[in-house]
Amino acid sequence: MNPTPPRIAIIGAGPGGLTCARVLQRRGVPVTVFDRDASADARPQGGTLDLHLTTGQAALRAAGLHDEFTTLARPEGQQMRLLDHTGTVLFAHHPAPDEHARPEIDRGQLRRLLLRSLAPETVRWGHYLRTLHPLGDGRHRAEFDGGHTETFDLVIGADGAWSRVRPLLSDATPHYSGVTFVEFGLDDVDNRHPELARLVGDGSMMAPFANRALIAQRNSNGHIRGYAAFRGSEDWTLDAGVRMADTEAVRAVLLDTFAGWDEGLLALLRENDGGFLNRPLFALPVPHTWTHTPGLTLLGDAAHLMTPFSGMGANLAMLDGAELAEALAGHDDRDSALRAYEAAMLPRSAEAAEGAARGLANAIAPDAPQGSLRHVRRMAEQAERTGQEGP
């Protein structure tokens, strides 16, 4: 008689959780994903991702989805432009026609690709995890919003920065990095904003200087998503006496923050379509570790939340998910599988988080303008020397 398969719950339907579910199902292991969103389309999924050959793309290969990914990806999105605050181009990378090390894909497209690959009813929408109750032998009873409960042999926390699973493993909580992103967007840029389309190019553009930066990235369907980044209080809107819903007031504060910058760059703030979104950057302590606990583990931001200056967040989450699934499918003993996964994931994520912290310090330098300019030049020299895509 075949043993009863373990009951596995993944909390969170982000790229990491969905990749884990896909690889588990591909290996014949049943799994259920729980997500707090009411549906797959309940909220926007954010901007574009560059999926790296040895992490995000490796995970998609393990999921059997790499060929479908290549039909959606934008290799031209590997283009990178680094400018200073005067609009001078310091470094530009133009990908070769056969370059596929880091092609871009919109987050929404990636999520749909992963969701379509899962068995029907794998994801249960509208399930917000309230608490987990240890029952012994690695089993936990999950209590969801509304009082619904289920018992699982393994609970995987893929539920992001403010994970409800993490507190059972770690006392660590995300801390404010000192840097805030204010998001904005421009639509139909080739027709409505042609000069900004040329400024950003087919990939991404970054202009850092003196504790501030303007960052923009080309998305699909003629959209540019941008960020005004600066060091300051997490409560900067209160300090400035504005509400995020007051678009023109926020615009005025941002234009004052970036006063003296090149007018071509400031057009990103003057011409944006729609309002602004506040996105303060948080990170977990580095290294973030925990004592191995049977029946529980973490992946992605729940395990190693870092600022986006490593370019590795989603890539590592997907690799985490694929490697965890392969370990579970390849080990007869579930606890041994978790130990093997964590032994590889924890040091890898610590290294990436350290790199993200350095990248943040370089790009949004906490020093005088001339020191910041040296940082920018050093970033350009590094990109030129290594052939990397920039920060």
Side-chain angles (χ1 to χ4, degrees), residues 130-152:
R130 284 293 180 186
T131 56
L132 283 174
H133 302 280
L135 301 176
D137 299 325
R139 295 181 307 124
H140 291 79
R141 184 174 72 252
E143 181 178 337
F144 297 93
D145 226 7
H148 173 69
T149 64
E150 292 191 48
T151 298
F152 298 98

Side-chain angles (χ1 to χ4, degrees), residues 194-255:
E195 291 188 6
L196 290 177
R198 287 190 291 272
L199 176 75
V200 175
D202 290 331
S204 60
M205 180 281 301
M206 183 176 187
F209 180 70
N211 306 325
R212 293 159 288 170
L214 289 173
I215 304 166
Q217 55 180 204
R218 174 76 73 130
N219 290 198
S220 62
N221 300 318
H223 183 75
I224 285 177
R225 188 180 302 266
Y227 305 93
F230 51 88
R231 287 190 178 271
S233 166
E234 183 184 347
D235 299 319
W236 69 272
T237 54
L238 292 177
D239 298 340
V242 298
R243 295 175 298 107
M244 289 304 299
D246 188 341
T247 298
E248 293 309 315
V250 172
R251 191 193 318 278
V253 171
L254 292 177
L255 288 171

